[in-house]
Amino acid sequence: MDFPKLKSIIEGLLFLSGEEGLSIKQIAEIVDQRVELVSDAVEEMIADFMNQGRGVQILKIAGVVQLGTLPEHAAYFEKLAYSPARTSLSQAALETLAIVAYRQPITRVEIEEIRGVKSERSIHTLVNKDLIEEVGRAEAIGRPILYGTTKSFLDYFGLASLKDLPEPGLFEDSENLEEETQLLFNKLDGQQVDSGSTDPNDLNEFDHENMDNHHEVHDEDLDS
């Protein structure tokens, strides 16, 4: 394998590994290359990213290599993270939000059992946008976090309480999950239009992603 291709593959692996990152040994095993060669490639990539003025950097923390953002851009990332605008929510996040709204308090594992895919990133997004929050710990092994919606969720959708949510029988299982999600938010949109709480043009944009493999369940450790 030539060096440029190796670096390209490593970059993709780091992107997919997210916050967990990968050790040099793990990368070497995946690409079937010597640890020393992978280590040299990572070091060169660190320099490349810096010299090219890239928007991300490669970090080595406690023996793990991962992609990270630049500290000097933090103010812009905060604007994105704390913006409650639904137009920035993916279909995966919308599904997760709807499940939490109806089934709260609920753990991440229970959400994933309904969706059939990992939901950690969606939960993180919703917490950052102050739409869901930790409301306690389940009486189960590992004491997993229980999630519920926030006051900001009610305010944003113009709801006096959770009793105002339409059709509380939705989201009992993963069948027709996408359709049920759209039905829910279309009805909430209608309530907002009736109350004049927001511009309806802002409430019809769904960013579809992460909808493949709905019925492929992924095992993941409980939240600690």
Side-chain angles (χ1 to χ4, degrees):
M1 182 184 300
D2 61 73
F3 212 56
K5 182 178 180 180
L6 175 60
K7 292 195 295 183
S8 178
I9 293 172
I10 292 173
E11 183 174 350
L13 290 173
L14 295 179
F15 174 79
L16 289 175
S17 68
E19 295 180 356
E20 294 182 3
L22 295 167
S23 68
I24 295 292
K25 183 178 179 180
Q26 286 176 312
I27 297 172
E29 291 175 349
I30 293 171
V31 299
D32 195 23
Q33 298 292 327
R34 293 181 295 106
V35 169
E36 294 78 11
L37 182 62
V38 171
S39 180
D40 290 343
V42 168
E43 291 298 330
E44 187 168 308
M45 290 171 68
I46 292 174
D48 288 345
F49 276 45
M50 183 179 300
N51 295 334
Q52 295 168 9
R54 300 278 290 274
V56 293
Q57 61 180 327
I58 295 180
L59 303 171
K60 295 175 69 176
I61 302 174
V64 172
V65 183
Q66 65 186 87
L67 287 176
T69 55
L70 302 179
E72 57 265 34
H73 298 165
Y76 302 99
F77 304 142
E78 289 176 0
K79 287 183 179 180
L80 173 62
Y82 293 102
S83 170
R86 258 196 50 216
T87 53
S88 65
L89 291 179
S90 68
Q91 177 68 24
L94 288 172
E95 288 181 6
T96 302
L97 178 58
I99 292 169
V100 173
Y102 279 105
R103 299 289 300 277
Q104 61 186 301
I106 187 170
T107 67
R108 176 178 56 79
V109 171
E110 290 171 328
I111 293 170
E112 291 172 350
E113 288 176 351
I114 295 174
R115 293 194 61 233
V117 293
K118 289 185 178 180
S119 300
E120 185 173 7
R121 181 170 297 182
S122 296
I123 290 172
H124 181 71
T125 296
L126 295 172
V127 169
N128 282 340
K129 292 181 182 296
D130 194 30
L131 293 173
I132 67 173
E133 63 183 352
E134 180 180 340
V135 296
R137 295 272 178 167
E139 295 294 336
I141 297 175
R143 300 277 292 168
I145 296 172
L146 289 167
Y147 293 97
T149 52
T150 63
K151 183 178 183 300
S152 295
F153 169 82
L154 297 176
D155 292 343
Y156 188 75
F157 289 106
L159 302 173
S161 71
L162 293 174
K163 294 180 181 179
D164 294 330
L165 284 169
E167 301 191 31
L170 295 178
F171 307 103
E172 292 299 324
D173 55 48
S174 60
E175 292 185 6
N176 302 316
L177 187 56
E178 181 176 3
E179 292 81 357
E180 290 180 350
T181 299
Q182 293 188 9
L183 175 63
L184 167 65
F185 286 103
N186 285 341
K187 290 193 175 185
L188 289 176
D189 294 348
Q191 291 178 10
Q192 287 186 310
V193 171
D194 292 339
S195 65
S197 61
T198 190
D199 183 350
N201 293 324
D202 291 337
L203 295 170
N204 293 314
E205 300 180 20
F206 286 85
D207 183 9
H208 293 274
E209 71 176 21
N210 297 331
M211 289 304 298
D212 295 330
N213 303 319
H214 261 304
H215 300 290
E216 180 181 351
V217 178
H218 299 264
D219 293 331
E220 183 169 332
D221 293 335
L222 296 174
D223 284 305
S224 57

